[in-house]
Amino acid sequence: MQPKSSIVHLPVYQPGKSVDEVKRELGLDRIIKLASNENPFGCSPHAKEAMRQEIDNASIYPDGAAVALTAAIAEKFNVDTNQIVFGAGSDEVILMLCRAFLVAGDEQITADQTFPQYKHNGDIEGAVTVEVPLKDGTHDLDAMLAAVTERTKLIWICNPNNPTGTIIGRAELERFMERVPERVLVVLDEAYCEYVTDESFPDGLEYLPQYKNLITLRTFSKIYGLASLRIGYGIGHPDVIRLINQVREPFNTSRFAQAAALAAVHDQAFIEECRRLNAEGIRYVQEQFARLQLSSFPAHGNFIMVDVGHPAQQVFEALMRKGIITRAGHKKYPTNIRITIGSREQNEAMIEALEASLAEFKVGI
Ligand SMILES: Cc1ncc(COP(=O)(O)O)c(C=O)c1O
């Protein structure tokens, strides 16, 4: 057999252990998962009700064009319906962008520590991903511009950036968009944008009328609390959206996902409350890190990257033994772990476990 040469070296995605597995293996009653930036407050009760109501339609294919949800998003953001495309999570929109734009030998530009799916999907298409070092944990847009060549097709900006949580501001984005060649598509991944409270944060949608070569990605997996349903979307120029639709599978988002997302969009009170509780959680965690003399990156999403002053994998394992699952393995930041902001109770348990773990390694003593 002769598989694509671009994929034979790729690792198979290794999902983290499930909560039940960790409970069983470690003999723990309680596990707190702060590893995947899920919403600790769940989702809107209206979304749950909408899912229940779809059960009797489970045997019927979903609306492939997601007409009702598209109309709701178009109205919410004051864009045309032909500017929106849905995916099975924004993961699938990332995949479709690579599928639509990249062939072997093309180049794309990302930060060197960012959401890994940009490079992963580029690799599958045989494209070269040029990874530009983050500066103080933040996208270095000048260096990314300097990396543009004749072969560059896509530039990925994750704002806020996963895993560092940092943002680029309006002025930086504007300067960048003015200078980037029109033939290069800029993908602004705003998976965590609803959490941001910083005034300088740019809303990617504002720039769409001006720049045909800009697309913003959003998701129902984070603040909307619907990660298991797999639904996210891109908003961009109709020509770009049409190209993505040309490679889209006919029924790529489920009935349950569409119905829940539609109900969730109409419950903005839930979103505001989650944003408020998350900001409170960030303040609490930052205060505790200061007490423990740990430095962390500015956190603008629903997670925080903290330097634990010790090999991250060991601290990750020590936390796991205490029932707290976090995320290590960030190649550029080997002593940092990324922790999702949880509920107040979860955050307190995490801090207690972190303090005990650091004492085991004699960090800060
Ligand atoms: C920056 C970023 N983009 C996209 C995604 C994909 O999210 P989903 O496919 O659940 O919409 C994630 C998930 O963690 C993310 O952190």
Side-chain angles (χ1 to χ4, degrees):
M1 289 185 289
Q2 295 184 311
K4 273 166 102 165
S5 60
S6 60
I7 69 132
V8 287
H9 70 285
L10 290 179
V12 174
Y13 180 76
Q14 297 297 332
K17 287 184 181 163
S18 74
V19 167
D20 285 341
E21 240 177 313
V22 177
K23 263 190 194 163
R24 214 177 320 114
E25 281 177 18
L26 298 175
L28 295 167
D29 295 335
R30 184 185 68 163
I31 295 288
I32 298 175
K33 183 169 173 249
L34 301 175
S36 304
N37 304 338
E38 292 146 335
N39 187 338
F41 309 107
C43 68
S44 159
H46 300 291
K48 290 182 194 170
E49 183 50 35
M51 281 185 259
R52 276 190 282 271
Q53 293 200 2
E54 272 307 309
I55 287 178
D56 287 341
N57 295 324
S59 59
I60 314 290
Y61 279 111
D63 170 10
V67 170
L69 182 58
T70 303
I73 294 288
E75 190 185 335
K76 177 170 168 52
F77 294 121
N78 195 23
V79 296
D80 289 335
T81 52
N82 62 2
Q83 289 186 263
I84 303 167
V85 61
F86 287 93
S90 43
D91 272 347
E92 199 203 6
V93 186
I94 294 167
L95 177 152
M96 293 189 285
L97 276 162
C98 290
R99 195 159 183 187
F101 280 82
L102 301 175
V103 295
D106 283 345
E107 290 178 7
Q108 59 171 0
I109 299 172
T110 69
D112 65 343
Q113 189 75 73
T114 189
F115 189 56
Q117 291 307 106
Y118 315 141
K119 175 165 162 38
H120 177 74
N121 283 290
D123 284 353
I124 291 171
E125 303 303 334
V128 175
T129 300
V130 178
E131 295 175 273
V132 174
L134 291 175
K135 211 159 87 185
D136 301 326
T138 307
H139 282 74
D140 183 347
L141 295 186
D142 285 341
M144 290 176 95
L145 269 178
V148 171
T149 72
E150 290 292 300
R151 299 186 137 182
T152 307
K153 291 271 194 75
L154 300 172
I155 302 182
W156 300 85
I157 301 173
C158 187
N159 203 33
N161 187 42
N162 177 5
T164 51
T166 56
I167 55 170
I168 56 152
R170 248 191 310 274
E172 292 157 276
L173 180 67
E174 284 167 16
R175 202 176 115 81
F176 174 83
M177 286 308 301
E178 273 163 25
R179 293 160 67 206
V180 75
E182 277 173 37
R183 64 182 167 79
V184 177
L185 180 64
V186 176
V187 188
L188 196 56
D189 183 344
E190 300 183 313
Y192 301 95
C193 65
E194 297 91 351
Y195 283 111
V196 181
T197 54
D198 190 296
E199 302 269 291
S200 74
F201 183 70
D203 176 353
L205 299 175
E206 272 179 33
Y207 299 93
L208 296 181
Q210 212 175 329
Y211 297 107
K212 181 175 176 177
N213 60 330
L214 179 68
I215 179 168
T216 95
L217 307 187
R218 305 221 170 159
T219 181
F220 285 96
S221 299
K222 304 301 174 183
I223 205 166
Y224 284 91
L226 299 173
S228 70
L229 294 182
R230 311 307 302 127
I231 185 154
Y233 55 103
I235 307 185
H237 190 277
D239 291 352
V240 173
I241 298 301
R242 186 171 39 76
L243 291 166
I244 300 172
N245 271 318
Q246 284 169 344
V247 301
R248 186 174 62 77
E249 297 293 333
F251 302 110
N252 63 326
T253 60
S254 75
R255 254 180 198 286
F256 296 101
Q258 290 180 27
L262 183 58
V265 166
H266 289 124
D267 188 359
Q268 288 299 313
F270 175 81
I271 302 305
E272 275 164 38
E273 182 63 357
C274 291
R275 178 165 41 239
R276 188 185 69 74
L277 290 168
N278 182 66
E280 231 173 72
I282 291 177
R283 270 196 301 279
Y284 166 75
V285 170
Q286 284 172 335
E287 278 163 21
Q288 296 301 312
F289 287 166
R291 179 177 66 77
L292 299 170
Q293 298 184 353
L294 300 176
S295 62
S296 58
F297 286 102
H300 293 278
N302 67 338
F303 55 92
I304 188 160
M305 181 92 141
V306 59
D307 187 345
V308 289
H310 194 80
Q313 185 63 26
Q314 291 179 25
V315 177
F316 163 83
E317 284 166 16
L319 283 168
M320 175 96 96
R321 287 193 292 275
K322 297 172 186 58
I324 309 286
I325 314 181
T326 59
R327 182 66 70 101
H330 305 104
K331 60 184 187 303
K332 189 179 171 82
Y333 302 108
T335 59
N336 282 246
I337 55 174
R338 192 198 70 192
I339 307 173
T340 302
I341 302 297
S343 64
R344 176 71 188 208
E345 190 199 357
Q346 292 174 328
N347 295 336
E348 284 174 357
M350 178 274 289
I351 291 291
E352 192 182 315
L354 181 61
E355 197 166 357
S357 303
L358 295 179
E360 284 168 28
F361 298 118
K362 302 196 170 23
V363 174
I365 294 177

